Amino acid sequence: MNIFRILGIAILFLALCTQSFSIDYNELKESVAKLMNVKSKDIKLKEQKLGMTSSQNYIFEIDNQKYILKLFKKQTKSEQRKNEIESVKILSKLNLGPKLISVAADDSFYIREYTEGKIAKAFDFQNEKTLINLAKALRKLHDYNTDVESQKTLVNRLEKHYKSIMKKKIALPSKFENSYAEFQDLYLKLPNQKRFCHNDLNPLNILISKSGEISFIDLENCGNANVYEEFGYVTLLCGISDKDLSLFLENYLERTPLQTELHAVKLAQKLVSFLTSIVWFDFSESKKDKKIPIETRQKSLDDLLNSKDLKTAEDFINASETVSVKSKNKLLIKQYALAFYKRYLNS
């Protein structure tokens, strides 16, 4: 392959990358400068990864005040953009999230204040004050009345990844098909109380201030949804169980929780365990793996699932260890998926 062909491919690749977002870097700087009423040369955008989002985020500073800019991808629908921007406004109003500063005229990006605080880890919620603050913050969020709707439920997330797995012919444990059918039945038993929810409350999307106050980031999935699904996410992934679960619900409900309510949250945790496993299974095989017969791959998963050396989901959660789905270590992704699948089977 000659140098000109290599150069051509590189240019095409860069063009495709640029096209995936609503505006290129230089235009972005000019637009930000106009919105913030400063000169373009005074804007220095530094890429920032927030939570587990795949969106393009930048941090910049003006007069010692830090800001976060979120740039939407071109394929993000107008309604999704407007809903997210509205959600940022709502959480700002409730003092549960960053203050919205400005929005591009075409909704291609928005700017919000940088929120001071540390990203939560599961062990933070072993502190009673922090746990209570989380419960109260969540109740405040859920009590807000809005017509913003979320399109992401446990079921449609599950179906999306299951279809992807089938299309890519990824191996799953031998009992997985039965579990998938069981999940559908169990989901119907989950109480459905629709309120305004975050819809992706893992610790990476929770900020804790020095005083222990709670705020939420990564608001792209906010909208009216089932609070029990929210409970499942936040309590499982923040390591809230047993007596801490009772304390969490007591402060959320402002009364002693009923046994039926505790049971429903534990059911939601079980369902989220299964969803977590299927999401990671979707990214668990390389091209090299797929050259191995699927029966062999399935047996390998069954052996890992039954191994005493397999880390538990609680091991991963309590260590605040989240395996990236983009990891090149496919064995580690498999182990993470299997850990949550095993929790589903045993809970």
Side-chain angles (χ1 to χ4, degrees), residues 121-170:
K121 295 183 183 295
F123 67 76
D124 288 314
F125 301 104
Q126 294 174 13
N127 178 292
E128 186 173 303
K129 179 184 175 183
T130 307
L131 179 69
I132 290 171
N133 285 346
L134 175 62
K136 291 181 175 179
L138 202 58
R139 179 57 186 261
K140 194 175 183 181
L141 178 69
H142 290 171
D143 279 348
Y144 189 85
N145 291 319
T146 178
D147 57 1
V148 175
E149 292 292 329
S150 173
Q151 301 302 315
K152 293 202 172 183
T153 66
L154 282 172
V155 167
N156 61 32
R157 287 179 181 182
L158 189 78
E159 289 175 346
K160 172 190 170 185
H161 288 284
Y162 184 73
K163 286 177 182 176
S164 176
I165 286 169
M166 292 297 102
K167 183 178 180 180
K168 292 188 281 188
K169 297 182 179 179
I170 290 172

Side-chain angles (χ1 to χ4, degrees), residues 141-312:
L141 178 69
H142 290 171
D143 279 348
Y144 189 85
N145 291 319
T146 178
D147 57 1
V148 175
E149 292 292 329
S150 173
Q151 301 302 315
K152 293 202 172 183
T153 66
L154 282 172
V155 167
N156 61 32
R157 287 179 181 182
L158 189 78
E159 289 175 346
K160 172 190 170 185
H161 288 284
Y162 184 73
K163 286 177 182 176
S164 176
I165 286 169
M166 292 297 102
K167 183 178 180 180
K168 292 188 281 188
K169 297 182 179 179
I170 290 172
L172 294 168
S174 56
K175 294 181 181 178
F176 207 86
E177 294 295 331
N178 292 336
S179 298
Y180 186 81
E182 180 191 50
F183 177 97
Q184 311 290 337
D185 294 333
L186 289 174
Y187 183 78
L188 295 176
K189 296 178 181 179
L190 192 68
N192 190 354
Q193 294 183 15
K194 206 170 185 182
R195 293 190 181 173
F196 184 61
C197 296
H198 181 283
N199 293 311
D200 192 16
L201 269 186
N202 63 76
L204 293 173
N205 290 335
I206 300 173
L207 292 180
I208 305 174
S209 70
K210 288 182 180 179
S211 61
E213 295 302 311
I214 299 293
S215 59
F216 305 126
I217 58 173
D218 278 2
L219 308 181
E220 62 190 65
N221 295 316
C222 284
N224 293 324
N226 186 359
V227 292
Y228 278 96
E229 293 186 22
E230 184 105 295
F231 289 150
Y233 280 106
V234 71
T235 59
L236 173 70
L237 301 175
C238 290
I240 302 169
S241 59
D242 303 326
K243 64 180 179 63
D244 289 336
L245 182 58
S246 295
L247 180 64
F248 173 84
L249 283 178
E250 182 180 324
N251 282 276
Y252 176 90
L253 298 167
E254 298 182 339
R255 61 170 172 78
T256 302
L258 302 174
Q259 285 301 310
T260 52
E261 291 167 331
L262 283 165
H263 176 76
V265 175
K266 289 179 180 179
L267 172 58
Q269 289 181 340
K270 180 181 178 79
L271 296 172
V272 171
S273 297
F274 189 69
L275 173 64
T276 303
S277 74
I278 203 167
V279 171
W280 264 258
F281 275 128
D282 194 4
F283 300 92
S284 65
E285 290 190 342
S286 64
K287 290 180 180 179
K288 185 178 178 181
D289 289 330
K290 290 174 185 174
K291 292 179 181 178
I292 301 169
I294 194 164
E295 295 82 7
T296 305
R297 286 180 274 146
Q298 187 175 74
K299 185 181 184 304
S300 176
L301 290 175
D302 286 343
D303 290 343
L304 277 170
L305 183 64
N306 295 318
S307 170
K308 292 180 180 179
D309 295 328
L310 180 69
K311 289 173 70 172
T312 67

Side-chain angles (χ1 to χ4, degrees), residues 11-191:
I11 291 170
L12 177 61
F13 175 76
L14 289 171
L16 289 171
C17 290
T18 303
Q19 287 171 5
S20 66
F21 292 97
S22 306
I23 187 171
D24 70 30
Y25 183 81
N26 290 325
E27 286 181 78
L28 187 60
K29 278 189 65 174
E30 291 292 338
S31 297
V32 172
K34 287 178 182 177
L35 283 174
M36 303 300 289
N37 198 27
V38 295
K39 294 179 180 178
S40 177
K41 66 181 180 64
D42 296 328
I43 299 291
K44 293 181 181 179
L45 300 175
K46 181 180 178 182
E47 189 173 345
Q48 182 86 349
K49 290 292 183 184
L50 299 173
M52 293 183 71
T53 183
S54 60
S55 302
Q56 194 78 42
N57 295 277
Y58 296 94
I59 186 169
F60 65 96
E61 189 172 326
I62 298 173
D63 296 331
N64 296 318
Q65 172 66 54
K66 292 180 181 177
Y67 300 92
I68 295 288
L69 180 151
K70 175 164 181 179
L71 177 63
F72 288 109
K73 289 186 175 181
K74 277 188 177 181
Q75 58 265 40
T76 305
K77 295 178 181 177
S78 175
E79 184 180 359
Q80 288 177 277
R81 299 183 188 201
K82 291 183 184 301
N83 280 359
E84 180 172 343
I85 292 166
E86 180 61 25
S87 296
V88 176
K89 289 179 183 176
I90 291 169
L91 269 77
S92 174
K93 187 189 303 183
L94 296 173
N95 292 319
L96 293 176
K99 182 181 177 182
L100 183 66
I101 300 299
S102 191
V103 181
D106 61 354
D107 291 336
S108 58
F109 68 88
Y110 65 84
I111 299 167
R112 63 169 178 82
E113 281 187 355
Y114 176 85
T115 305
E116 294 291 345
K118 68 168 189 171
I119 298 291
K121 295 183 183 295
F123 67 76
D124 288 314
F125 301 104
Q126 294 174 13
N127 178 292
E128 186 173 303
K129 179 184 175 183
T130 307
L131 179 69
I132 290 171
N133 285 346
L134 175 62
K136 291 181 175 179
L138 202 58
R139 179 57 186 261
K140 194 175 183 181
L141 178 69
H142 290 171
D143 279 348
Y144 189 85
N145 291 319
T146 178
D147 57 1
V148 175
E149 292 292 329
S150 173
Q151 301 302 315
K152 293 202 172 183
T153 66
L154 282 172
V155 167
N156 61 32
R157 287 179 181 182
L158 189 78
E159 289 175 346
K160 172 190 170 185
H161 288 284
Y162 184 73
K163 286 177 182 176
S164 176
I165 286 169
M166 292 297 102
K167 183 178 180 180
K168 292 188 281 188
K169 297 182 179 179
I170 290 172
L172 294 168
S174 56
K175 294 181 181 178
F176 207 86
E177 294 295 331
N178 292 336
S179 298
Y180 186 81
E182 180 191 50
F183 177 97
Q184 311 290 337
D185 294 333
L186 289 174
Y187 183 78
L188 295 176
K189 296 178 181 179
L190 192 68

